Amino acid sequence: MLQNGDVIDGMYQVIQEIGKGGTGVVYLGWHLRLCKQIVIKRIKENYNGRINVRKEADILKRLHHTYLPQVYDFLEVGGGIYTVMDYIPGSDLQHYLDSGYTFPQQTLLLWMKQLCEVLDYLHTQDPPILHSDIKPGNIMITPQGNVCLIDFNISLDGSENGKLQGLSPHYAAPEQYQAAMDMLYSGGGNFVPDCRMDIYSLGAVFYRMMTGYLPEPRTGVPYPIMDLDIPYSDGVKAIISKAVALNPTRRFRTVRRMLDALQNLEKMDPRYRWLGKLQCMSGILCGVCVAAGVLLIYSGFGLWQKDIWQERYTKLYAAVESGTETDIVTAGTELLNDFMAGGYMNFHSDDKADVLRILAESYYRQEQYAVSAQYYQDALQEVPDSSEYLRDYMVAMARDGQPFNVTELEAHYPEAVLDVSEVTFIEAQSLYAAGDFEEALEKVEEAITASTDPDLMALIYDLQSDIYIRQERYGEAVDVLEKAVMYSDESNLKRKIGQTAFDAGNASANDIYRRSYYETALRIYEQICTLGDPSYEDLLNRALILRALGRYGTAYDRFREMERLYPDDYRIPMWMCYCSLDEAASEGRKEIPSEADFAYNTAKHLYEQSGETDPDMETLIVTMKEWE
């Protein structure tokens, strides 16, 4: 333990201890030759040999950036290991979070851009340098209001030799957390860190600052940021949403791309666009310079293209969250066919591939597997190094019964490398499509054992639930879907567990199990309806589950809320009538309740106008006659 006044190596004098971290003790010091304050960090003895301190110092000594501390020295004195670097005045972001500060958008944008700049500087070193522990406590805010990224104790060089020495669970990328757990409990793994790990952590920091919620280590952010009513623009929320995507392939591919998105955000401001158009018109009318005029027109056109793209993509994103497949297909197709958005996507292949993926997933859920496979193939043409797109392309073909050879397809897309768990997952899908359920389950277990990817784990458990559902083992299907939602926050996966739990309750002969499954289904649909953008089916299922649980009054109220939203839909007053009749029957009443009579007459009138044939409505007509 250093004491105040101690001098190390005749150059650095200790002033006082100012903090302790996971791997070291930090002291404020004085550089006797440069006559300036410094930080002296002594590495804890139990970490000696576990982290490469000399490598850390050597990395930082050769780096020079406005938003990084300058490292001066690395010392081994008297059995102690020390690094000496610039003292950064101010407080870290954790201090501001703990103090309950709120952060205006302008401040967030400034800090995000600065951090993107410094991370881009690190990631473009040769070899790339990954910080790997971005969290509020490692982001200093200087008195001038700028950031400084500190603490490279677990920096990596982006190679397979980079070893994960530690992490901060709520801010580490889920795949980074899983790799650390594998290393802790099994001593190994095949995880190769890349820059998207830092991108996730950066997004997680700002997600916490904007929403107040902490991401979960395995499943990421608890609520989609686009669904939250917070005082930030949709553009900023969309950037954070992309940065914290659970699947690394859906994040920004590089920090430079994230920085570009942040910089373009300002240009999308209506005042900026109005000024740009005014400048363009003035240039044309005055004829000051033809070349300048052409340039301004081209720039304005590009901004217009991006504006149209953003508008269309926001509509598509809303459709995805609502879970209405028709709306997803309509919004996605419109976006792909839009001339202006298409011009933008011609220069942004990642964004085009993302739209194609969304459409592929929608058609897959609709069991239109051939169409799904075609969209996945189109996405691969845009991003040929995506193992996710290649994997899902093969899965869609397997579900469609199309013959294919995994090895040949891997050779056709050599940059999209599939690991053992992905190949095993594809084999399990093929067996499932062929009806070999028991063999498919064996492959599922192999894939679970081999996988370290949270997104793939969710897909594997989802497939396992499909097998159980086909075998009418609904309870087991619910159990594995509960595991799946630990790895993914996909709204459609939550809807599936809700529907499967409802089906499990309907199929159960045991009253206790039946109610338990109903309660599980209700919990899921309450989350969707309260926190998300619920679809008609979400609202209807919630009310029907309440009815199944015998909570007739609450179910009736939920149907009444739906009636205000869908006044021309006969099914809502039909179910309201059923609820009133059920409640009357449970109380032993013999007469038709007045609210049931009113709801029935409304439903019958709308039903006759619809021209449809509905067994539930026909049954209600017979039931009402019996009550009379």
Side-chain angles (χ1 to χ4, degrees), residues 26 109 134 147 209 214 262 299 303 306 341 401 501 512-513 516 521 603:
V26 182
L109 286 173
I134 298 170
V147 302
M209 293 168 68
L214 273 171
L262 289 165
S299 299
L303 289 172
K306 183 166 180 113
I512 295 176
Y513 287 154
S516 176

Side-chain angles (χ1 to χ4, degrees), residues 29-47:
W30 185 256
H31 197 302
L32 296 175
R33 180 169 60 82
L34 298 180
C35 296
K36 61 182 298 185
Q37 284 185 326
I38 53 171
V39 165
I40 305 167
K41 183 172 181 179
R42 176 169 180 167
I43 306 303
K44 292 180 179 178
E45 285 78 0
N46 61 320
Y47 274 87

Side-chain angles (χ1 to χ4, degrees), residues 448-578:
I448 290 171
T449 303
S451 177
T452 59
D453 177 7
D455 185 65
L456 180 58
M457 290 293 288
L459 294 175
I460 297 170
Y461 283 124
D462 188 21
L463 171 59
Q464 191 174 20
S465 76
D466 285 341
I467 298 171
Y468 286 146
I469 289 169
R470 288 286 296 274
Q471 296 176 323
E472 297 185 358
R473 298 160 64 179
Y474 296 109
E476 291 168 278
V478 171
D479 292 341
V480 297
L481 282 169
E482 290 276 24
K483 295 178 181 178
V485 297
M486 293 174 61
Y487 291 96
S488 172
D489 63 350
E490 291 284 343
S491 298
N492 285 302
L493 188 57
K494 293 178 180 177
R495 289 183 172 95
K496 185 173 181 179
I497 189 174
Q499 184 61 58
T500 305
F502 193 23
D503 292 341
N506 292 335
S508 178
N510 184 296
D511 287 342
I512 295 176
Y513 287 154
R514 181 188 303 115
R515 291 194 65 84
S516 176
Y517 287 129
Y518 285 156
E519 291 289 356
T520 297
L522 180 62
R523 171 173 55 82
I524 295 296
Y525 280 112
E526 286 287 8
Q527 290 177 2
I528 295 172
C529 294
T530 304
L531 299 174
D533 182 16
S535 66
Y536 174 91
E537 287 74 17
D538 295 330
L539 296 169
L540 180 62
N541 285 338
R542 177 176 63 171
L544 289 175
I545 294 166
L546 285 165
R547 176 188 173 226
L549 284 166
R551 301 177 192 175
Y552 303 118
T554 306
Y556 192 91
D557 290 341
R558 293 289 180 258
F559 283 125
R560 186 180 292 279
E561 292 170 3
M562 289 186 68
E563 191 176 33
R564 300 189 190 102
L565 297 173
Y566 308 98
D568 298 325
D569 192 316
Y570 72 86
R571 291 171 293 179
I572 299 171
M574 176 189 77
W575 290 116
M576 292 169 69
C577 181
Y578 271 121

Side-chain angles (χ1 to χ4, degrees), residues 151-163:
D151 205 342
F152 280 66
N153 277 330
I154 53 174
S155 299
L156 306 173
D157 63 4
S159 70
E160 294 189 25
N161 296 323
K163 298 297 182 182

Side-chain angles (χ1 to χ4, degrees), residues 306-326:
K306 183 166 180 113
D307 195 24
I308 295 295
W309 151 262
Q310 195 69 47
E311 178 184 336
R312 294 287 194 188
Y313 188 80
T314 300
K315 181 179 178 181
L316 174 60
Y317 186 89
V320 171
E321 288 303 303
S322 75
T324 306
E325 304 298 349
T326 302

Side-chain angles (χ1 to χ4, degrees), residues 400 407 571 587:
D400 191 50
T407 304
R571 291 171 293 179
E587 295 172 354

